[in-house]
Amino acid sequence: MNAALVIAAKDLRQRLRDRSAIVLGFVAPVLVAALMSFAFSSVEAFHADVAFVDNDHGQIAVALRTALTSPELSDVLTIESVATEQQARQLVDDGDAGAGLVVPAGFSAAAVGDEPIGLTVLGSPDSPLEAQVAKAVADAYVAQLNADRLSVHAALAAGVPAGRTAELAKAVAGLRLPESVEARATGYRQLTTASYYAPAMGIMFVLFAIGFTAHSFFAEQRGGTLERISAAPIGRGGVLLGKSLAAFAYSVASLTSLAVVSTLAFDAQWGPPIPAAALILAMSAALVALTALVITVSRTERQADGIAMMITFTLLLLGGNFVLISQAPELLRKLALLTPNGWALRGFTDLATGAAATTVLLPVLVILGMSALVGLLAGVIGRWRAAS
């Protein structure tokens, strides 16, 4: 064991002397995590500017505008009144408004009329979400209005004097949208982009270290260093253990330093220290297993570089390191659970949103299970090659 520790210390010293290893493990993750966080920070909060055109000027139209400008919707919608539909279309086309809502003439009279009437929603391909929100609001209000219209007709059919039609219309005008917003604590925090992309980018650069470690192994083999070490009373197992410990320590140091820096600089949430450390250790174990697999299946430095690159980018694309996995297609969300980094991001996301520390138990166990399977496969391949 002492020999393995000596080899691990030697490998770590070599890495710390290599500027590329310092940049890869400690500088680049912070810079890229900051860049990704700032680039996608706009998705954390939604707000839509809606151009509102009132061609009716009746009680129902006024009630609609009052509902849209209510305090409950002020954090989501900003209503700008314009005179004509053409002006509203121009604002939407220019990007000054995310959507437009046009109230047609006769809209209020439709509350007691025989025929239903709808609202016109203006949208832009550049702001599809704003148009969907405006359409949802319009659909909900028109549905409520049509229900009220039927209620008026039912009242008249039941014998209410026709002279009270104006009174019924006034009552309908006083109605509000059927939805209501009530602030209530859920016990969870909103997931910020910094809290997602900090661990995502850290894991990405840790996975890049697979190729770096495998390349250095074959470089030492080519230079005869491994043969000289193996000639000592250490054994091949001690050599591999030492190099595995070096890769493990490098990964833990890289992710831990990123966690500290991103928490202090970008207010990223990694969760409580103990469960976050468990995920870091489990992901570092996966790195060791994947590195061992690359070394055992490769015969040259070039092969190791190519195989490591394929494994790394496959894991990154499937695991959700480049996109918020919660917003990805369902197929990608399922495929992410076949990767250790996908499970690690799931655990970090749970911790960042305030879930209980015990929720990381499953991700940690799955990652360790994957690491054991990959390590076993690497061992079988290594013994087969040694015997052939």
Side-chain angles (χ1 to χ4, degrees):
M1 185 63 183
N2 289 334
L5 293 176
V6 171
I7 294 173
K10 183 268 298 180
D11 278 12
L12 287 175
R13 284 195 301 270
Q14 287 181 335
R15 289 199 179 190
L16 294 177
R17 292 169 184 163
D18 189 341
R19 292 182 179 179
S20 63
I22 297 296
V23 172
L24 185 68
F26 302 95
V27 179
V30 175
L31 295 179
V32 176
L35 178 63
M36 296 291 284
S37 299
F38 292 139
F40 293 99
S41 59
S42 60
V43 304
E44 294 180 9
F46 172 82
H47 191 90
D49 295 321
V50 179
F52 186 83
V53 182
D54 185 3
N55 291 327
D56 179 72
H57 304 292
Q59 292 178 320
I60 304 298
V62 173
L64 171 59
R65 192 186 187 288
T66 301
L68 294 176
T69 56
S70 64
E72 291 83 359
L73 297 177
S74 61
D75 292 337
V76 180
L77 299 176
T78 295
I79 304 300
E80 179 181 354
S81 295
V82 295
T84 65
E85 180 176 340
Q86 183 179 1
Q87 292 178 345
R89 289 186 183 275
Q90 189 64 43
L91 288 175
V92 174
D93 291 340
D94 294 342
D96 296 326
L101 199 59
V102 181
V103 181
F107 183 72
S108 296
V112 292
D114 295 329
E115 297 294 333
I117 192 169
L119 299 170
T120 300
V121 177
L122 307 176
S124 169
D126 297 330
S127 305
L129 185 56
E130 285 86 342
Q132 291 176 9
V133 171
K135 184 178 184 302
V137 172
D139 289 344
Y141 195 83
V142 169
Q144 181 67 54
L145 178 61
N146 286 330
D148 296 335
R149 181 181 58 82
L150 293 176
S151 299
V152 170
H153 279 279
L156 294 174
V160 175
R164 298 184 60 187
T165 300
E167 180 184 346
L168 294 175
K170 183 177 181 181
V172 170
L175 296 175
R176 296 292 182 268
L177 286 170
E179 293 85 0
S180 62
V181 179
E182 178 182 355
R184 182 175 297 179
T186 63
Y188 292 93
R189 295 185 295 265
Q190 179 181 349
L191 178 65
T192 63
T193 53
S195 299
Y196 183 84
Y197 281 111
M201 294 301 100
I203 291 172
M204 180 182 74
F205 283 99
V206 162
L207 290 176
F208 282 150
I210 295 174
F212 183 87
T213 304
H215 183 91
S216 65
F217 177 88
F218 285 100
E220 289 190 6
Q221 186 179 64
R222 175 171 44 82
T225 304
L226 291 183
E227 292 183 2
R228 291 193 294 271
I229 294 176
S230 299
I234 298 175
R236 185 176 179 83
V239 175
L240 295 178
L241 177 60
K243 291 189 169 295
S244 297
L245 290 174
F248 182 83
Y250 177 81
S251 175
V252 171
S254 175
L255 290 174
T256 302
S257 64
L258 177 59
V260 173
V261 173
S262 62
T263 298
L264 297 176
F266 316 127
D267 197 27
Q269 301 292 329
W270 289 67
I274 293 179
L279 287 170
I280 290 175
L281 293 174
M283 194 62 217
S284 300
L287 169 70
V288 172
L290 290 168
T291 303
L293 179 63
V294 171
I295 291 175
T296 54
V297 300
S298 305
R299 295 184 181 276
T300 63
E301 295 175 44
R302 181 168 295 182
Q303 284 185 358
D305 292 338
I307 294 174
M309 194 63 66
M310 287 190 295
I311 291 177
T312 298
F313 276 99
T314 298
L315 292 176
L316 292 176
L317 291 173
L318 296 182
N321 290 72
F322 298 128
V323 295
L324 284 168
I325 198 64
S326 60
Q327 300 178 2
E330 182 180 0
L331 178 60
L332 183 58
R333 293 199 299 269
K334 292 181 178 179
L335 291 175
L337 298 181
L338 300 177
T339 65
N341 50 308
W343 278 98
L345 286 176
R346 177 178 176 176
F348 283 122
T349 299
D350 289 341
L351 293 178
T353 53
T358 54
T359 58
V360 304
L361 182 60
L362 178 60
V364 168
L365 292 177
V366 172
I367 295 171
L368 292 178
M370 290 179 175
S371 303
L373 289 175
V374 173
L376 179 62
L377 178 62
V380 171
I381 295 175
R383 285 194 294 269
W384 174 74
R385 284 201 164 180
S388 62

